[in-house]
Amino acid sequence: MADMNFGKQIKKVRTDNKLTQEQLAQKLMVSRQAVSSWENDRNLPDLEMVVRIAKLFDISLDQLILGDEQMTNKLVKDASEVRKAKLMVMSTSLLLIGGLCFLSSAFTESRVDSNGLLHEPYFFLIPLGYLFLFSGVITWIIHFVVKRKKR
């Protein structure tokens, strides 16, 4: 199977297991047209679907994918895009949490006692705000350095 493309591989696995496109589609909870488009190389399934197909036929991912450069490239690209998206969500979340810490500290009541000591009930908000902002900025920089490096 190593020299076949993904469409031929999935068709061979399906026919070896005596399934029609409709039967395979029902097992995978997709349309028959989706299976047809995979077999005719008009479209490729996402990584989750490839894993489901491998589990269904009890074959390794290598056996199912190996030899199809287009499919391998798509899987690598998909994984890279997911990592980038997670990094962006994480950095944005850190920045937002840092901002919320500063905003919350602005609304907390602080007072100075007769001895001149400052009493803040949530004294930790400012340091946490700086920590989250710093972490968010560093994560954002890492994202853009990695993105720029791959160009």
Side-chain angles (χ1 to χ4, degrees):
M1 275 209 312
D3 61 341
M4 291 185 190
N5 66 22
F6 184 76
K8 288 179 184 173
Q9 288 172 319
I10 195 162
K11 184 174 184 175
K12 180 176 179 351
V13 170
R14 176 182 62 79
T15 56
D16 287 351
N17 285 274
K18 297 175 179 50
L19 292 174
T20 64
Q21 286 182 346
E22 183 68 38
Q23 291 167 328
L24 177 58
Q26 287 175 354
K27 288 182 181 290
L28 296 173
M29 293 182 276
V30 297
S31 68
R32 184 202 57 77
Q33 290 82 1
V35 173
S36 175
S37 71
W38 300 337
E39 289 183 1
N40 292 306
D41 294 319
R42 288 190 304 264
N43 200 355
L44 291 170
D46 62 13
L47 180 58
E48 180 182 341
M49 187 57 65
V50 174
V51 171
R52 288 175 57 194
I53 293 167
K55 283 183 180 179
L56 175 68
F57 293 116
D58 195 29
I59 58 177
S60 71
L61 287 173
D62 286 347
Q63 188 179 358
L64 184 61
I65 298 169
L66 201 60
D68 187 1
E69 190 174 322
Q70 182 183 8
M71 185 63 175
T72 304
N73 290 341
K74 181 185 184 305
L75 293 174
V76 169
K77 183 180 177 201
D78 286 353
S80 175
E81 293 299 319
V82 167
R83 277 194 304 275
K84 287 178 196 173
K86 284 181 179 178
L87 196 57
M88 282 302 294
V89 167
M90 185 173 71
S91 63
T92 304
S93 298
L94 289 169
L95 291 169
L96 285 173
I97 292 170
L100 286 173
C101 285
F102 284 114
L103 188 63
S104 297
S105 71
F107 290 107
T108 60
E109 199 172 305
S110 54
R111 64 181 176 82
V112 178
D113 67 11
S114 60
N115 294 328
L117 292 173
L118 178 64
H119 294 275
E120 292 187 86
Y122 302 108
F123 65 90
F124 55 87
L125 288 175
I126 299 282
L128 275 179
Y130 279 117
L131 178 67
F132 282 114
L133 284 177
F134 179 74
S135 300
V137 169
I138 294 298
T139 309
W140 204 289
I141 290 170
I142 290 170
H143 167 76
F144 284 109
V145 167
V146 168
K147 185 178 178 180
R148 196 170 184 104
K149 197 175 192 179
K150 288 191 177 183
R151 286 185 186 176

